[in-house]
Amino acid sequence: MNAVSDGAGKDETTRQVEFETMLLGRHGYLFGSRSRPADWHLDRSAYILLTRIQLVGPMSIGQLSDATGLDASTLNRQTAAMKRAGLVERIPDPDGGIARKFRITQEGEKSLDDDRARYLGILEGLLDDWSTDEVADFAASLRRLNHAIERLDGRPWPRP
């Protein structure tokens, strides 16, 4: 193919990616509070923040802000709700710094693990008719997209 048709083809497939990612966000199936059964533990923000704390250890509001791009007032509200729910506790900085940090509690770990198992069950059902190679390719493509976004945003996310 010549450069003109390659560019037009890529433009069209990029439009398809935009449309499909918009739909994925619209569905909110995995994290949407209205579609989630009432006995699930965590809302979307708690799931994300607890995952980050689980991956890297205790974090201050400033560190959470740097990691997520959220402002301190939003994070103060979110961490206060998580603290009231017993999902995190505030501790002195283990490294001796001035700022206090949030550490995931045993209840937070259990809630996160329970909800993650449920999300995985949903995904397994959604991907049931996909081959192992198709799921692996999809995961690799999502990882590549996320890495590109993280490079653009300047906020890399740790991977387990």
Side-chain angles (χ1 to χ4, degrees):
M1 267 190 209
N2 63 38
V4 173
S5 62
D6 284 348
K10 188 169 183 178
D11 288 348
E12 178 54 32
T13 55
T14 301
R15 282 187 193 89
Q16 291 171 9
V17 170
E18 179 277 330
F19 186 79
E20 295 301 331
T21 56
M22 178 273 303
L23 286 178
L24 184 62
R26 179 193 71 81
H27 290 305
Y29 190 74
L30 292 178
F31 295 107
S33 59
R34 282 182 272 199
S35 62
R36 208 179 53 208
D39 63 335
W40 285 37
H41 306 285
L42 306 172
D43 64 18
R44 179 179 175 273
S45 64
Y47 190 88
I48 292 168
L49 293 174
L50 288 174
T51 297
R52 183 65 182 236
I53 293 168
Q54 187 182 54
L55 286 170
V56 301
M59 297 180 75
S60 68
I61 290 290
Q63 289 170 320
L64 287 169
S65 179
D66 290 344
T68 63
L70 298 172
D71 62 62
S73 64
T74 298
L75 287 164
N76 277 315
R77 283 191 304 278
Q78 292 174 342
T79 54
M82 292 189 319
K83 190 172 182 287
R84 281 191 304 274
L87 303 171
V88 295
E89 60 187 346
R90 219 148 176 197
I91 61 167
D93 184 346
D95 298 323
I98 297 171
R100 294 178 57 81
K101 294 191 173 188
F102 290 93
R103 176 174 59 196
I104 191 169
T105 63
Q106 191 172 9
E107 179 62 28
E109 292 271 1
K110 182 181 179 334
S111 296
L112 184 57
D113 291 345
D114 288 351
D115 281 7
R116 181 168 288 128
R118 290 175 179 188
Y119 292 132
L120 288 169
I122 291 169
L123 283 170
E124 286 170 359
L126 293 171
L127 302 173
D128 189 46
D129 61 345
W130 294 34
S131 73
T132 301
D133 287 343
E134 288 173 322
V135 174
D137 290 346
F138 182 57
S141 293
L142 286 173
R143 186 178 315 107
R144 186 174 176 190
L145 178 62
N146 277 320
H147 279 298
I149 293 167
E150 291 164 8
R151 274 192 310 276
L152 180 66
D153 191 42
R155 292 185 179 92
W157 194 267
R159 300 314 194 267

